[in-house]
Structure formats: C-alpha cells, structure tokens
C-alpha cells in the first residue's frame, strides 16, 4: 500500500504513484477547487474513487500550513486494494441502517470510514449498528453543510448523505486514539433521568440547577465558545460531551451527544500546552502505521487555535507519516478502552491504518 498527502491549489497535483482512492477535505466555498482536483485525479487514473467532505472551518494536513483554508484543500491518496465506496441517504433512518449492515457484511471483517451529516442522529445510527455482531470498526467525522454542499463522491456534491469507504480489515488494519486536552475535576454527578442527548436530572435533582449551583450561571456566549465540555464516565470508558443549549423552563441540559442514565458527568478544565504535548507523546510512543486520518472538533479550534496547530505539528513530527482530515462537528471513533465507536465532542481522533503484510 502506498499513501501520500498533499495540499492542492489548482494544477499542482504531483503524486509518486497511480492513485486508486482519494479523500478530499475542502470547505463549501471551495467547490470549484474540489472539482478541479477531481478532474486532475481522473486524468491520472480514470477508475479512481474520489470521496470528499466539507470541513467548514478548516482542514488539516501533515503538510505546512497544518490548518488549511481559503484557496487550498487537503488531499490523501492511496494505492491499495480491498475497498469499496457507498453513498447512503440519511433521511430514511431504518433503510439507512439495513442498507449499511448489508454493505458492511461484504467483507468478513470490515472497517468503515464514514462521513455523517450534522443535524442528523449520529448517536442513534451508531447505537443500532454496533448492537450487531462484529460492527465495532467504524470511524469518521460529522460534517457541516454550507452552500448546499456537504460531501462529494466521484464528481457529485451531496447534502443529507452518508458516505462510507469500506475496507477489508484482513488486509488493512485500523485503530484509533482519542485525545482532547480537558481534565475532569470535582464531583462526578450520576445521571438519573435523561432521554437521548437531554439530561433532566442529576442525582435526582434538576440537572441545570445542580450544575449551576456548582459552577455558577451558564451563559449562552460561553456555550457558543464551547467552554463547557463535560467528562462522561461510562464504566471504565471516558469521553467528552459539549453543551448544545439549556432549558430554564424545565432545568434540563441538551448536549451534542447522547448521555445515558447511570453514567456520571464531571466538569472539566483545559490542560496546558506542556501537558498536552506529553499526553500526545504518551499516546503515540508505540504507534506504527502507514498513515492516518485526523478528525478534530471545530470546538477545540474555536477555543485554542494556537494549541491545535501545535499539536498537529507534534503528530507530524513524531510519526512522520502522511495524514489529512478536517475540523469536525462530532468525531466517530473508539477510545483506548471502549470497544465500540462512539460519537465524541471536543476531541481529536487519530485513525491509524497500516497494511497487513
């Protein structure tokens, strides 16, 4: 398997091999640049499969500059076998589930890289899919839609579609690491009443009242800046959940991901740059891979842009492999302990891949 990353800006497509699969990470305003890149890729190989996704807010690469906007897009190209691409409509949830399971079972052992549209129920999809046997290798990101552009496949732009690249896991191994940079502090509160992504009660008391008695009034401008991610503890697994909005009429808190009863949540504080770099080194020290996808929450970029650029550089320097990705509205992947992939918030998901010799 061969992999290369590049930053494309019209008529500069130089690849050291004949690509058979390409991922384009672009912004909605870059439609013409994405189309130009697609046409150049097709000139190199008429049979190439090209998948793209709208990274509203920026895209990432191991190439400089690490966070790409404006007139450039991030590209990751492969020369590999044992994959196929499918596009699914998300408007019919039940059909989406059944169709996805059917395609996932084409290979005895599959890994799926998916791009899911924002504003649709990613949690519901992941919960259902991963109740099925051997459906735990799903990674990806949630994308936004701008200018009626959400994702891309072989020359066509789409909205309200899920794009999945299915890989044969017997030929290419995938694994992930989740890094966020927030540290839980204080009392963990048990969720005693919730429905999907809305928490009504903590410790049998109104959820918003409990939290505001602990940290003070939650203001909308702080929610907009993603300043209130909560640590969610589920058995031995830990993830982050950001507040979407609050409801003072019933004292509930709505999050960007499902919060289940019996889970515990804690407030968090950001760690400093020095600790973040040590954390990245610790997570990467034993990693051997041919390349990776980086899906990092746009909320992290909004909160501490400089650190985000620095950590991308750190990953690049440490691993010295090609990678690309985008700033997401939700990250799909597993933590180190959790066997299932979950929807995460305020997190950098690194999805590593390597050819099985």
């Amino acid at each position: 398997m061969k992999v290369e990353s590049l930053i494309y800006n019209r008529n500069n497509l130089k690849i050291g091999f004949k690509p058979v699969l390409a991922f384009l990470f672009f912004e909605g305003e870059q439609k013409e640049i994405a189309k130009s890149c697609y046409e150049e890729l097709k000139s190199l190989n008429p049979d190439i499969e090209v998948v793209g996704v709208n990274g509203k807010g920026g895209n990432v690469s191991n190439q400089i500059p690490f966070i790409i906007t404006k007139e450039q897009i991030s590209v990751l190209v492969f020369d590999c076998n044992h994959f196929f691409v499918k596009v699914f409509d998300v408007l019919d949830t039940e059909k989406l589930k059944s169709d996805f399971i059917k395609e996932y079972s084409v290979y005895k052992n599959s890994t799926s890289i998916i791009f899911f549209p924002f504003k649709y129920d990613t949690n519901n999809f992941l919960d259902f899919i991963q109740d099925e046997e051997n459906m735990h290798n799903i990674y990806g990101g949630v994308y936004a839609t701008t200018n009626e552009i959400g994702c891309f496949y072989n020359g066509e732009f789409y909205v309200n579609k899920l794009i999945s690249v299915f890989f044969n896991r017997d030929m290419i191994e995938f694994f992930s690491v989740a890094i966020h940079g927030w540290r839980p502090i204080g009392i963990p509160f048990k969720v005693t009443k919730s429905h999907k992504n809305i928490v009504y009660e903590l410790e049998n008391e109104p959820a918003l009242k409990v939290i505001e008695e602990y940290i003070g009034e939650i203001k909308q401008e702080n929610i907009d800046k993603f300043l209130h991610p909560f640590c969610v503890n589920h058995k031995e697994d830990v993830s982050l959940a950001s507040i979407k909005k609050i409801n003072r009429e019933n004292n509930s808190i709505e999050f960007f991901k499902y919060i289940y009863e019996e889970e515990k949540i804690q407030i968090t504080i950001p760690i400093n740059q020095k600790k973040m770099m040590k954390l990245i080194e610790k997570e990467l020290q034993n990693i051997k891979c041919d390349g990776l996808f980086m899906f990092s929450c746009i909320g992290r970029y909004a909160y501490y842009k400089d650190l985000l650029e620095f950590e991308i550089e750190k990953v690049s320097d440490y691993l010295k492999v090609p990678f690309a990705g985008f700033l997401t509205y939700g990250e799909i992947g597993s933590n180190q302990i959790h066997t299932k992939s979950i929807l995460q918030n305020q997190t950098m998901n690194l999805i590593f891949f390597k050819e099985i010799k």
Side-chain angles (χ1 to χ4, degrees), residues 120-347:
Y120 289 90
D121 199 341
T122 313
N123 289 276
N124 180 278
F125 171 77
L126 290 174
D127 281 358
F128 177 86
I129 289 298
Q130 293 184 108
D131 278 343
E132 299 293 316
E133 185 179 359
N134 198 30
M135 295 287 287
H136 295 168
N137 287 81
I138 300 174
Y139 308 102
V142 177
Y143 66 82
T145 298
T146 54
N147 299 335
E148 296 301 310
I149 296 172
C151 57
F152 175 92
Y153 177 54
N154 283 356
E156 298 293 329
F157 293 90
Y158 298 101
V159 293
N160 304 327
K161 300 290 185 181
L162 181 158
I163 291 185
S164 177
V165 183
F166 296 91
F167 291 91
N168 186 339
R169 190 157 34 104
D170 291 329
M171 302 297 176
I172 304 175
E173 179 185 1
F174 286 80
F175 53 101
S176 71
V177 166
I179 301 171
H180 50 74
W182 295 81
R183 180 168 65 88
I185 61 170
I187 302 170
F189 298 104
K190 181 188 288 187
V191 178
T192 49
K193 184 179 180 182
S194 67
H195 178 68
K196 294 186 175 180
N197 63 325
I198 302 176
V199 176
Y200 294 97
E201 293 183 2
L202 296 171
E203 304 291 351
N204 297 310
E205 297 290 337
L208 182 59
K209 180 180 178 182
V210 170
I211 295 300
E212 290 194 325
E213 284 180 351
Y214 195 68
I215 66 171
E217 182 183 358
I218 297 177
K219 297 181 180 180
Q220 185 60 47
E221 58 263 34
N222 289 340
I223 294 176
D224 295 339
K225 294 176 183 177
F226 301 96
L227 296 185
H228 293 292
F230 282 76
C231 178
V232 182
N233 296 275
H234 178 77
K235 296 181 180 178
E236 294 181 327
D237 190 33
V238 177
S239 62
L240 286 187
S242 298
I243 294 178
K244 187 174 184 180
K245 62 182 178 181
I246 58 176
N247 185 332
R248 295 198 177 279
E249 291 185 2
N250 62 10
N251 283 301
S252 65
I253 303 174
E254 182 175 349
F255 291 88
F256 277 102
K257 60 172 286 182
Y258 282 12
I259 306 291
Y260 300 97
E261 291 177 3
E262 300 302 314
E263 290 182 333
K264 294 183 179 181
I265 67 172
Q266 286 177 272
I267 64 170
T268 63
I269 59 173
I271 63 177
N272 60 35
Q273 181 172 296
K274 184 177 180 180
K275 290 182 178 179
M276 188 66 178
M277 293 310 104
K278 287 184 177 180
L279 176 61
I280 291 174
E281 288 182 0
K282 177 183 176 182
E283 296 294 347
L284 300 183
Q285 62 183 348
N286 296 316
I287 299 294
K288 302 294 182 184
C289 63
D290 296 323
L292 65 107
F293 295 97
M294 178 181 285
F295 303 133
S296 190
C297 179
I298 193 170
R300 304 177 75 241
Y301 186 65
Y303 183 70
Y304 45 105
K305 174 183 175 181
D306 292 340
L307 179 57
L308 185 58
E309 292 176 339
F310 192 60
E311 71 186 11
I312 295 171
E313 181 179 9
K314 188 73 172 179
V315 172
S316 179
D317 289 345
Y318 200 93
L319 292 177
K320 302 186 186 306
V321 296
F323 64 81
F326 70 114
L327 301 183
T328 59
Y329 283 70
E331 305 73 58
I332 300 167
S334 58
N335 290 333
Q336 293 87 335
I337 299 173
H338 207 300
T339 57
K340 293 185 178 182
S341 290
I342 59 175
L343 181 65
Q344 300 171 336
N345 298 157
Q346 299 273 93
T347 298

Side-chain angles (χ1 to χ4, degrees), residues 1 171 290 355-357:
M1 180 173 67
M171 302 297 176
D290 296 323
E355 186 175 21
I356 299 175
K357 305 296 184 180

Side-chain angles (χ1 to χ4, degrees), residues 99-114:
D99 288 350
F100 189 90
I101 290 173
K102 179 181 177 181
E103 300 297 342
Y104 194 94
S105 62
V106 169
Y107 293 129
K108 181 180 179 181
N109 293 300
S110 290
T111 292
S112 176
I113 301 295
I114 69 172

Side-chain angles (χ1 to χ4, degrees), residues 7-32:
I7 297 174
Y8 177 80
N9 183 9
R10 299 184 189 274
N11 302 314
N12 69 336
L13 197 62
K14 296 180 180 180
I15 303 171
F17 53 84
K18 183 179 180 180
V20 299
L21 173 64
F23 291 84
L24 312 184
F25 300 101
F26 58 91
E27 294 188 75
E29 296 79 4
Q30 298 171 319
K31 179 178 180 179
E32 295 305 317

